[in-house]
Amino acid sequence: MMRTVFDRLFRFFGPQYWWPAETKFEVCVGSILTQNTAWTNVERAIHNLKKENLLSPYAIVQVPDERLRELIRPAGFFNQKAERLKIFAKFLIDNGGFEKLSLLPLYSLREKLLNLKGVGRETADSMILYAFEKPIFVVDAYTKRLFYRMGFIDSEKIDYDVLREKVERSLPKDIELFSEFHALIVKHCKEFCRKKPLCEGCPLIDGCKFWRNGAAQGSHR
DNA sequence: CTCCGGCTAG
DNA sequence: CTAGCTGGAG
């Protein structure tokens, strides 16, 4: 079931090679900046930080708040995100960086990340999977929307961890698999399973409850 | 539940 | 012109 969805997406879109970043720190910065924000805007912000050589924990804690806010402005919510980046950078420094933190068991690390102001479950799991490279499945609004429409879950309001565990239980605990799957879901939901769905040419249309119910507005059916 | 926000595809 | 964006805190 879950495996079939992955296979179809993989065959259709090919490998996504996520997360698009040069360093682990950049992955984490991106995961904070992209909270409820279009990635193109995040790219602008990251580009600004790179240009100023600010993509390191030390640089982030040192740069004046006002300056940081200005640089990440394109990513929106810049006041809170500037604070969140500072808090995360300080956390890394205080805890021995990725090397030391990576020694922790997955769920210990997750707890530490969740205790940080500005790091919720999706952000924490994105960091764990794509920066710390430990096997956890990242759930997001796209995942809930897709699985709801496919008929795998009864509501898009399903609890984050309930859905995460549901997916994890139905697949092998494989970092590469989880990485590609989440990336493919994002890709697919941007191209087809949008809020206003574009079902034409959808690689998952076979067996999709949403499509079968004609909920796709009957515009093309 | 509301606020936080710049940016752009359509 | 605005819907919608890989959320999280209070």
Side-chain angles (χ1 to χ4, degrees), chain A residues 127-173:
Chain A
M127 291 179 179
I128 293 170
L129 180 62
Y130 295 105
F132 291 92
E133 299 176 67
K134 293 175 184 290
I136 194 159
F137 181 77
V138 180
V139 170
D140 60 4
Y142 286 151
T143 311
K144 292 182 178 179
R145 187 162 79 208
L146 176 64
F147 289 165
Y148 170 65
R149 288 179 178 174
M150 295 289 294
F152 297 161
I153 55 180
D154 296 325
S155 166
E156 289 191 59
K157 291 173 191 159
I158 184 173
D159 177 74
Y160 180 96
D161 284 309
V162 170
L163 178 53
R164 178 177 61 78
E165 285 168 7
K166 182 179 171 67
V167 176
E168 289 182 2
R169 265 187 271 108
S170 58
L171 292 172
K173 233 177 195 44

Tab-separated table of all heavy atoms in Angstrom, chain A residues 127-173:
chain	number	residue	atom	x	y	z
A	127	MET	N	15.165	17.877	10.481
A	127	MET	CA	16.567	17.956	10.901
A	127	MET	C	17.119	16.563	11.177
A	127	MET	O	18.223	16.213	10.754
A	127	MET	CB	16.687	18.804	12.173
A	127	MET	CG	16.395	20.285	11.984
A	127	MET	SD	16.546	21.145	13.575
A	127	MET	CE	16.180	22.843	13.076
A	128	ILE	N	16.337	15.752	11.890
A	128	ILE	CA	16.788	14.407	12.261
A	128	ILE	C	17.055	13.553	11.024
A	128	ILE	O	18.074	12.869	10.931
A	128	ILE	CB	15.735	13.716	13.147
A	128	ILE	CG1	15.637	14.420	14.501
A	128	ILE	CG2	16.087	12.245	13.343
A	128	ILE	CD1	14.472	13.967	15.364
A	129	LEU	N	16.154	13.609	10.064
A	129	LEU	CA	16.303	12.790	8.859
A	129	LEU	C	17.378	13.316	7.915
A	129	LEU	O	18.252	12.572	7.483
A	129	LEU	CB	14.965	12.711	8.117
A	129	LEU	CG	14.963	11.878	6.829
A	129	LEU	CD1	15.317	10.413	7.124
A	129	LEU	CD2	13.606	11.951	6.137
A	130	TYR	N	17.313	14.615	7.609
A	130	TYR	CA	18.183	15.149	6.562
A	130	TYR	C	19.523	15.725	7.048
A	130	TYR	O	20.444	15.848	6.265
A	130	TYR	CB	17.430	16.197	5.755
A	130	TYR	CG	16.261	15.633	4.983
A	130	TYR	CD1	14.952	15.843	5.396
A	130	TYR	CD2	16.471	14.854	3.833
A	130	TYR	CE1	13.875	15.311	4.684
A	130	TYR	CE2	15.399	14.329	3.121
A	130	TYR	CZ	14.103	14.558	3.545
A	130	TYR	OH	13.044	14.035	2.841
A	131	ALA	N	19.614	16.062	8.325
A	131	ALA	CA	20.893	16.587	8.830
A	131	ALA	C	21.583	15.552	9.729
A	131	ALA	O	22.759	15.275	9.580
A	131	ALA	CB	20.675	17.893	9.589
A	132	PHE	N	20.825	14.980	10.657
A	132	PHE	CA	21.418	13.990	11.563
A	132	PHE	C	21.411	12.597	10.936
A	132	PHE	O	22.036	11.673	11.440
A	132	PHE	CB	20.681	13.991	12.900
A	132	PHE	CG	20.899	15.242	13.694
A	132	PHE	CD1	20.033	16.320	13.592
A	132	PHE	CD2	22.005	15.364	14.533
A	132	PHE	CE1	20.246	17.493	14.317
A	132	PHE	CE2	22.236	16.526	15.266
A	132	PHE	CZ	21.350	17.598	15.151
A	133	GLU	N	20.696	12.486	9.845
A	133	GLU	CA	20.654	11.236	9.098
A	133	GLU	C	20.265	10.028	9.922
A	133	GLU	O	20.955	9.002	9.936
A	133	GLU	CB	21.982	11.015	8.372
A	133	GLU	CG	22.268	12.126	7.363
A	133	GLU	CD	23.620	11.994	6.683
A	133	GLU	OE1	23.776	11.029	5.934
A	133	GLU	OE2	24.489	12.853	6.925
A	134	LYS	N	19.164	10.195	10.646
A	134	LYS	CA	18.588	9.080	11.389
A	134	LYS	C	17.197	8.819	10.812
A	134	LYS	O	16.540	9.736	10.330
A	134	LYS	CB	18.490	9.425	12.880
A	134	LYS	CG	19.860	9.560	13.553
A	134	LYS	CD	19.720	10.027	14.986
A	134	LYS	CE	21.071	10.257	15.640
A	134	LYS	NZ	21.812	9.004	15.893
A	135	PRO	N	16.741	7.557	10.870
A	135	PRO	CA	15.503	7.169	10.188
A	135	PRO	C	14.208	7.568	10.885
A	135	PRO	O	13.738	6.893	11.784
A	135	PRO	CB	15.609	5.648	10.101
A	135	PRO	CG	16.417	5.284	11.302
A	135	PRO	CD	17.390	6.405	11.500
A	136	ILE	N	13.635	8.702	10.472
A	136	ILE	CA	12.312	9.093	10.962
A	136	ILE	C	11.571	9.639	9.755
A	136	ILE	O	12.185	10.270	8.885
A	136	ILE	CB	12.413	10.137	12.092
A	136	ILE	CG1	11.079	10.264	12.818
A	136	ILE	CG2	12.849	11.497	11.549
A	136	ILE	CD1	11.195	10.865	14.212
A	137	PHE	N	10.271	9.372	9.680
A	137	PHE	CA	9.496	9.846	8.537
A	137	PHE	C	8.938	11.230	8.816
A	137	PHE	O	8.320	11.467	9.849
A	137	PHE	CB	8.357	8.880	8.213
A	137	PHE	CG	7.541	9.310	7.022
A	137	PHE	CD1	8.022	9.129	5.738
A	137	PHE	CD2	6.306	9.925	7.199
A	137	PHE	CE1	7.279	9.548	4.632
A	137	PHE	CE2	5.556	10.351	6.097
A	137	PHE	CZ	6.048	10.162	4.816
A	138	VAL	N	9.180	12.157	7.907
A	138	VAL	CA	8.721	13.534	8.061
A	138	VAL	C	7.302	13.707	7.507
A	138	VAL	O	7.058	13.466	6.334
A	138	VAL	CB	9.659	14.518	7.335
A	138	VAL	CG1	9.161	15.950	7.513
A	138	VAL	CG2	11.086	14.372	7.844
A	139	VAL	N	6.414	14.130	8.392
A	139	VAL	CA	5.027	14.400	7.997
A	139	VAL	C	4.875	15.904	7.797
A	139	VAL	O	5.518	16.694	8.471
A	139	VAL	CB	4.051	13.930	9.098
A	139	VAL	CG1	2.638	14.415	8.817
A	139	VAL	CG2	4.082	12.406	9.217
A	140	ASP	N	4.060	16.288	6.854
A	140	ASP	CA	3.762	17.708	6.690
A	140	ASP	C	2.342	17.857	6.161
A	140	ASP	O	1.634	16.863	5.988
A	140	ASP	CB	4.773	18.389	5.753
A	140	ASP	CG	4.759	17.766	4.372
A	140	ASP	OD1	3.932	16.884	4.115
A	140	ASP	OD2	5.580	18.165	3.538
A	141	ALA	N	1.948	19.084	5.902
A	141	ALA	CA	0.585	19.338	5.428
A	141	ALA	C	0.326	18.577	4.130
A	141	ALA	O	-0.778	18.066	3.910
A	141	ALA	CB	0.382	20.836	5.217
A	142	TYR	N	1.338	18.474	3.286
A	142	TYR	CA	1.192	17.751	2.027
A	142	TYR	C	0.900	16.275	2.281
A	142	TYR	O	0.046	15.677	1.633
A	142	TYR	CB	2.489	17.844	1.209
A	142	TYR	CG	2.740	19.181	0.568
A	142	TYR	CD1	4.038	19.605	0.336
A	142	TYR	CD2	1.694	20.006	0.169
A	142	TYR	CE1	4.302	20.825	-0.276
A	142	TYR	CE2	1.939	21.222	-0.438
A	142	TYR	CZ	3.245	21.630	-0.667
A	142	TYR	OH	3.503	22.828	-1.267
A	143	THR	N	1.651	15.697	3.217
A	143	THR	CA	1.478	14.284	3.535
A	143	THR	C	0.055	14.001	4.001
A	143	THR	O	-0.577	13.035	3.567
A	143	THR	CB	2.456	13.867	4.649
A	143	THR	OG1	3.764	14.325	4.313
A	143	THR	CG2	2.472	12.365	4.817
A	144	LYS	N	-0.447	14.863	4.885
A	144	LYS	CA	-1.802	14.676	5.398
A	144	LYS	C	-2.825	14.820	4.280
A	144	LYS	O	-3.750	14.033	4.163
A	144	LYS	CB	-2.084	15.692	6.509
A	144	LYS	CG	-1.267	15.445	7.768
A	144	LYS	CD	-1.612	16.441	8.859
A	144	LYS	CE	-0.820	16.144	10.124
A	144	LYS	NZ	-1.111	17.113	11.202
A	145	ARG	N	-2.634	15.834	3.443
A	145	ARG	CA	-3.574	16.064	2.356
A	145	ARG	C	-3.603	14.877	1.392
A	145	ARG	O	-4.657	14.368	1.028
A	145	ARG	CB	-3.187	17.333	1.600
A	145	ARG	CG	-4.201	17.746	0.551
A	145	ARG	CD	-4.003	19.188	0.166
A	145	ARG	NE	-2.891	19.356	-0.760
A	145	ARG	CZ	-2.165	20.472	-0.844
A	145	ARG	NH1	-2.403	21.479	-0.028
A	145	ARG	NH2	-1.192	20.577	-1.710
A	146	LEU	N	-2.420	14.443	0.982
A	146	LEU	CA	-2.316	13.331	0.035
A	146	LEU	C	-2.934	12.053	0.579
A	146	LEU	O	-3.766	11.421	-0.081
A	146	LEU	CB	-0.846	13.079	-0.318
A	146	LEU	CG	-0.613	11.862	-1.224
A	146	LEU	CD1	-1.257	12.059	-2.591
A	146	LEU	CD2	0.884	11.600	-1.379
A	147	PHE	N	-2.544	11.682	1.809
A	147	PHE	CA	-3.044	10.432	2.373
A	147	PHE	C	-4.530	10.497	2.680
A	147	PHE	O	-5.219	9.482	2.637
A	147	PHE	CB	-2.234	10.043	3.602
A	147	PHE	CG	-0.841	9.592	3.260
A	147	PHE	CD1	0.149	9.497	4.227
A	147	PHE	CD2	-0.510	9.248	1.953
A	147	PHE	CE1	1.441	9.078	3.903
A	147	PHE	CE2	0.778	8.824	1.625
A	147	PHE	CZ	1.746	8.746	2.610
A	148	TYR	N	-5.013	11.693	2.985
A	148	TYR	CA	-6.451	11.841	3.208
A	148	TYR	C	-7.182	11.619	1.894
A	148	TYR	O	-8.149	10.867	1.812
A	148	TYR	CB	-6.763	13.231	3.769
A	148	TYR	CG	-8.245	13.527	3.789
A	148	TYR	CD1	-9.095	12.774	4.603
A	148	TYR	CD2	-8.792	14.519	2.974
A	148	TYR	CE1	-10.466	13.007	4.610
A	148	TYR	CE2	-10.159	14.760	2.971
A	148	TYR	CZ	-10.994	13.999	3.791
A	148	TYR	OH	-12.343	14.235	3.789
A	149	ARG	N	-6.705	12.265	0.855
A	149	ARG	CA	-7.370	12.131	-0.443
A	149	ARG	C	-7.268	10.711	-0.986
A	149	ARG	O	-8.189	10.222	-1.641
A	149	ARG	CB	-6.756	13.121	-1.438
A	149	ARG	CG	-7.153	14.561	-1.157
A	149	ARG	CD	-6.511	15.521	-2.135
A	149	ARG	NE	-6.942	16.889	-1.883
A	149	ARG	CZ	-6.450	17.955	-2.528
A	149	ARG	NH1	-5.522	17.797	-3.461
A	149	ARG	NH2	-6.879	19.159	-2.252
A	150	MET	N	-6.140	10.062	-0.709
A	150	MET	CA	-5.966	8.685	-1.183
A	150	MET	C	-6.887	7.733	-0.428
A	150	MET	O	-7.116	6.608	-0.856
A	150	MET	CB	-4.512	8.231	-0.968
A	150	MET	CG	-3.462	8.990	-1.774
A	150	MET	SD	-3.477	8.636	-3.539
A	150	MET	CE	-2.990	6.931	-3.571
A	151	GLY	N	-7.369	8.197	0.745
A	151	GLY	CA	-8.254	7.362	1.537
A	151	GLY	C	-7.542	6.530	2.597
A	151	GLY	O	-8.115	5.607	3.159
A	152	PHE	N	-6.282	6.886	2.890
A	152	PHE	CA	-5.519	6.139	3.904
A	152	PHE	C	-5.861	6.595	5.310
A	152	PHE	O	-5.695	5.862	6.278
A	152	PHE	CB	-4.015	6.317	3.691
A	152	PHE	CG	-3.529	5.763	2.385
A	152	PHE	CD1	-2.306	6.170	1.863
A	152	PHE	CD2	-4.272	4.817	1.694
A	152	PHE	CE1	-1.853	5.663	0.654
A	152	PHE	CE2	-3.820	4.298	0.483
A	152	PHE	CZ	-2.606	4.724	-0.040
A	153	ILE	N	-6.297	7.843	5.451
A	153	ILE	CA	-6.665	8.373	6.767
A	153	ILE	C	-8.019	9.079	6.653
A	153	ILE	O	-8.417	9.496	5.572
A	153	ILE	CB	-5.610	9.365	7.306
A	153	ILE	CG1	-5.366	10.501	6.294
A	153	ILE	CG2	-4.301	8.647	7.582
A	153	ILE	CD1	-4.334	11.517	6.763
A	154	ASP	N	-8.706	9.181	7.810
A	154	ASP	CA	-10.072	9.705	7.800
A	154	ASP	C	-10.164	11.225	7.849
A	154	ASP	O	-11.206	11.804	7.572
A	154	ASP	CB	-10.852	9.129	8.988
A	154	ASP	CG	-10.987	7.624	8.869
A	154	ASP	OD1	-11.112	7.134	7.729
A	154	ASP	OD2	-10.939	6.925	9.895
A	155	SER	N	-9.068	11.865	8.274
A	155	SER	CA	-9.106	13.319	8.404
A	155	SER	C	-7.720	13.917	8.225
A	155	SER	O	-6.725	13.300	8.584
A	155	SER	CB	-9.646	13.703	9.782
A	155	SER	OG	-9.387	15.067	10.038
A	156	GLU	N	-7.692	15.112	7.678
A	156	GLU	CA	-6.407	15.807	7.540
A	156	GLU	C	-5.945	16.339	8.887
A	156	GLU	O	-4.815	16.781	9.040
A	156	GLU	CB	-6.542	16.977	6.546
A	156	GLU	CG	-6.698	16.534	5.109
A	156	GLU	CD	-6.570	17.695	4.131
A	156	GLU	OE1	-5.521	18.340	4.124
A	156	GLU	OE2	-7.535	17.957	3.373
A	157	LYS	N	-6.854	16.300	9.858
A	157	LYS	CA	-6.511	16.811	11.193
A	157	LYS	C	-5.859	15.725	12.043
A	157	LYS	O	-5.674	15.898	13.241
A	157	LYS	CB	-7.764	17.340	11.888
A	157	LYS	CG	-8.308	18.599	11.241
A	157	LYS	CD	-9.641	18.994	11.868
A	157	LYS	CE	-10.325	20.102	11.055
A	157	LYS	NZ	-11.773	20.160	11.327
A	158	ILE	N	-5.555	14.595	11.434
A	158	ILE	CA	-4.916	13.496	12.161
A	158	ILE	C	-3.666	14.004	12.872
A	158	ILE	O	-2.955	14.876	12.377
A	158	ILE	CB	-4.538	12.355	11.182
A	158	ILE	CG1	-3.962	11.161	11.932
A	158	ILE	CG2	-3.526	12.864	10.154
A	158	ILE	CD1	-3.730	9.944	11.043
A	159	ASP	N	-3.440	13.477	14.081
A	159	ASP	CA	-2.275	13.886	14.860
A	159	ASP	C	-0.984	13.563	14.114
A	159	ASP	O	-0.851	12.515	13.488
A	159	ASP	CB	-2.264	13.159	16.203
A	159	ASP	CG	-1.024	13.499	17.013
A	159	ASP	OD1	-0.964	14.621	17.537
A	159	ASP	OD2	-0.105	12.643	17.096
A	160	TYR	N	-0.030	14.483	14.214
A	160	TYR	CA	1.244	14.343	13.510
A	160	TYR	C	1.908	12.986	13.761
A	160	TYR	O	2.246	12.261	12.821
A	160	TYR	CB	2.192	15.472	13.941
A	160	TYR	CG	3.547	15.406	13.261
A	160	TYR	CD1	3.812	16.167	12.124
A	160	TYR	CD2	4.550	14.556	13.725
A	160	TYR	CE1	5.029	16.097	11.488
A	160	TYR	CE2	5.771	14.470	13.087
A	160	TYR	CZ	6.017	15.242	11.976
A	160	TYR	OH	7.223	15.158	11.338
A	161	ASP	N	2.089	12.655	15.035
A	161	ASP	CA	2.821	11.421	15.353
A	161	ASP	C	2.031	10.151	15.036
A	161	ASP	O	2.624	9.111	14.753
A	161	ASP	CB	3.253	11.429	16.824
A	161	ASP	CG	4.433	12.355	17.044
A	161	ASP	OD1	5.433	12.239	16.298
A	161	ASP	OD2	4.369	13.211	17.945
A	162	VAL	N	0.730	10.259	15.080
A	162	VAL	CA	-0.097	9.095	14.729
A	162	VAL	C	0.147	8.742	13.264
A	162	VAL	O	0.353	7.574	12.923
A	162	VAL	CB	-1.600	9.397	14.948
A	162	VAL	CG1	-2.454	8.285	14.368
A	162	VAL	CG2	-1.877	9.570	16.440
A	163	LEU	N	0.146	9.757	12.406
A	163	LEU	CA	0.368	9.502	10.980
A	163	LEU	C	1.820	9.067	10.734
A	163	LEU	O	2.080	8.154	9.960
A	163	LEU	CB	0.054	10.756	10.151
A	163	LEU	CG	0.297	10.616	8.642
A	163	LEU	CD1	-0.431	9.399	8.082
A	163	LEU	CD2	-0.155	11.875	7.905
A	164	ARG	N	2.746	9.720	11.420
A	164	ARG	CA	4.159	9.362	11.243
A	164	ARG	C	4.385	7.884	11.569
A	164	ARG	O	5.014	7.145	10.797
A	164	ARG	CB	5.048	10.224	12.153
A	164	ARG	CG	6.527	9.892	12.060
A	164	ARG	CD	7.370	10.810	12.909
A	164	ARG	NE	7.044	10.738	14.317
A	164	ARG	CZ	7.441	9.751	15.123
A	164	ARG	NH1	8.177	8.757	14.642
A	164	ARG	NH2	7.112	9.750	16.396
A	165	GLU	N	3.829	7.458	12.701
A	165	GLU	CA	4.025	6.067	13.108
A	165	GLU	C	3.298	5.098	12.172
A	165	GLU	O	3.779	3.993	11.915
A	165	GLU	CB	3.569	5.885	14.557
A	165	GLU	CG	4.576	6.492	15.540
A	165	GLU	CD	4.032	6.591	16.962
A	165	GLU	OE1	2.923	6.066	17.208
A	165	GLU	OE2	4.718	7.204	17.801
A	166	LYS	N	2.177	5.539	11.686
A	166	LYS	CA	1.423	4.709	10.744
A	166	LYS	C	2.258	4.445	9.494
A	166	LYS	O	2.344	3.323	9.008
A	166	LYS	CB	0.122	5.420	10.366
A	166	LYS	CG	-0.802	4.653	9.430
A	166	LYS	CD	-2.059	5.472	9.177
A	166	LYS	CE	-2.931	4.883	8.079
A	166	LYS	NZ	-3.520	3.587	8.451
A	167	VAL	N	2.900	5.497	8.994
A	167	VAL	CA	3.741	5.347	7.800
A	167	VAL	C	4.977	4.513	8.127
A	167	VAL	O	5.335	3.601	7.385
A	167	VAL	CB	4.193	6.727	7.260
A	167	VAL	CG1	5.151	6.550	6.084
A	167	VAL	CG2	2.985	7.542	6.828
A	168	GLU	N	5.599	4.823	9.260
A	168	GLU	CA	6.824	4.099	9.623
A	168	GLU	C	6.584	2.608	9.817
A	168	GLU	O	7.437	1.787	9.505
A	168	GLU	CB	7.435	4.712	10.887
A	168	GLU	CG	8.042	6.090	10.641
A	168	GLU	CD	8.690	6.690	11.875
A	168	GLU	OE1	8.709	6.019	12.932
A	168	GLU	OE2	9.182	7.833	11.785
A	169	ARG	N	5.407	2.270	10.349
A	169	ARG	CA	5.099	0.858	10.586
A	169	ARG	C	4.920	0.090	9.288
A	169	ARG	O	5.133	-1.113	9.231
A	169	ARG	CB	3.823	0.725	11.438
A	169	ARG	CG	4.120	0.586	12.924
A	169	ARG	CD	2.857	0.294	13.736
A	169	ARG	NE	2.182	1.502	14.175
A	169	ARG	CZ	1.032	1.939	13.673
A	169	ARG	NH1	0.421	1.239	12.721
A	169	ARG	NH2	0.476	3.044	14.122
A	170	SER	N	4.539	0.807	8.231
A	170	SER	CA	4.253	0.106	6.980
A	170	SER	C	5.426	0.102	6.008
A	170	SER	O	5.284	-0.332	4.867
A	170	SER	CB	3.030	0.740	6.312
A	170	SER	OG	3.266	2.106	6.073
A	171	LEU	N	6.575	0.589	6.460
A	171	LEU	CA	7.763	0.605	5.596
A	171	LEU	C	9.002	0.201	6.380
A	171	LEU	O	9.036	0.332	7.607
A	171	LEU	CB	7.980	2.023	5.044
A	171	LEU	CG	6.969	2.584	4.045
A	171	LEU	CD1	7.267	4.045	3.789
A	171	LEU	CD2	7.021	1.792	2.750
A	172	PRO	N	10.031	-0.293	5.682
A	172	PRO	CA	11.287	-0.583	6.372
A	172	PRO	C	11.914	0.716	6.884
A	172	PRO	O	11.764	1.757	6.258
A	172	PRO	CB	12.147	-1.216	5.280
A	172	PRO	CG	11.507	-0.841	3.983
A	172	PRO	CD	10.051	-0.682	4.276
A	173	LYS	N	12.560	0.660	8.032
A	173	LYS	CA	13.172	1.852	8.636
A	173	LYS	C	14.442	2.211	7.887
A	173	LYS	O	15.546	1.975	8.360
A	173	LYS	CB	13.506	1.560	10.102
A	173	LYS	CG	12.935	2.594	11.059
A	173	LYS	CD	13.225	2.228	12.493
A	173	LYS	CE	12.363	3.019	13.460
A	173	LYS	NZ	10.950	3.128	13.079
